[in-house]
Amino acid sequence: MLFTAQVKVMPLKDLLDPQGKAVLGGLQLLGFNQVHDVRIGKFIELHIEANNKEAAFQLASEAAKKFLANQVMEVFEVNIF
Amino acid sequence: MLFTAQVKVMPLKDLLDPQGKAVLGGLQLLGFNQVHDVRIGKFIELHIEANNKEAAFQLASEAAKKFLANQVMEVFEVNIF
């Protein structure tokens, strides 16, 4: 069966996010003054061939740990559909 | 009230996603042969000061249209929490 895994990778809460800070600056220049904070991460969609949802989850989590996310600086979250 | 807006920006389905293709190649080199397709987008979290959820949604959608997403190449989706 074909599953879709969505892996969300975000910078750790306590780390500075320079890309987010830059976008926050841009938004404020455009007049979006109600925006107080911006954090930017990656959203990765994988199509996985697996026997069941559990196996797809395991595979996506392993891929995220080994390759998609840098756990020193980022946290990830996996959802299977 | 402070709301969190999550804006997911993905490349359009019909467009080539070179970043996704590169990651797919990397995953296959690592032995993740069950992965058939990868698409990579951005996940942007905004903290917005607004009177209600509806206003926060409007603001985040406008920011996405004007600045966060390039609608020629990308689609976006806004969720408010």
Side-chain angles (χ1 to χ4, degrees):
Chain A
M1 280 170 73
L2 200 62
F3 292 92
T4 299
Q6 299 188 332
V7 183
K8 188 177 113 183
V9 181
M10 296 296 287
L12 284 175
K13 282 232 159 31
D14 298 330
L15 285 184
L16 194 66
D17 173 14
Q19 200 186 355
K21 286 278 168 292
V23 167
L24 178 62
L27 284 170
Q28 287 178 342
L29 280 177
L30 286 173
F32 291 100
N33 297 311
Q34 306 96 310
V35 179
H36 293 309
D37 191 28
V38 180
R39 291 187 83 76
I40 300 187
K42 283 171 287 186
F43 195 87
I44 305 166
E45 238 175 51
L46 309 168
H47 291 173
I48 297 177
E49 183 68 45
N51 291 329
N52 53 55
K53 206 170 161 172
E54 184 55 33
F57 181 83
Q58 291 298 337
L59 190 96
S61 302
E62 210 188 312
K65 261 179 228 156
K66 280 199 185 161
F67 189 56
L68 304 174
N70 170 1
Q71 288 191 284
V72 177
M73 303 167 58
E74 295 167 328
V75 280
F76 68 86
E77 195 185 302
V78 177
N79 286 298
I80 305 288
F81 296 95
Chain B
M1 278 169 77
L2 200 61
F3 292 92
T4 299
Q6 299 188 332
V7 183
K8 189 177 112 181
V9 181
M10 294 298 285
L12 284 176
K13 285 233 157 34
D14 298 328
L15 285 184
L16 193 69
D17 173 13
Q19 199 186 355
K21 285 278 167 294
V23 166
L24 178 62
L27 284 170
Q28 287 177 343
L29 279 178
L30 286 174
F32 291 101
N33 298 312
Q34 307 97 311
V35 179
H36 294 308
D37 190 30
V38 180
R39 292 188 80 76
I40 301 187
K42 285 171 285 185
F43 195 88
I44 306 166
E45 235 174 54
L46 308 168
H47 291 171
I48 296 177
E49 183 67 44
N51 292 328
N52 53 56
K53 207 171 161 172
E54 184 55 33
F57 181 83
Q58 290 299 338
L59 191 96
S61 302
E62 210 188 312
K65 264 179 228 157
K66 281 199 185 163
F67 188 57
L68 303 174
N70 169 3
Q71 288 190 282
V72 177
M73 303 168 57
E74 296 168 327
V75 281
F76 68 85
E77 193 186 303
V78 177
N79 286 298
I80 305 288
F81 296 94

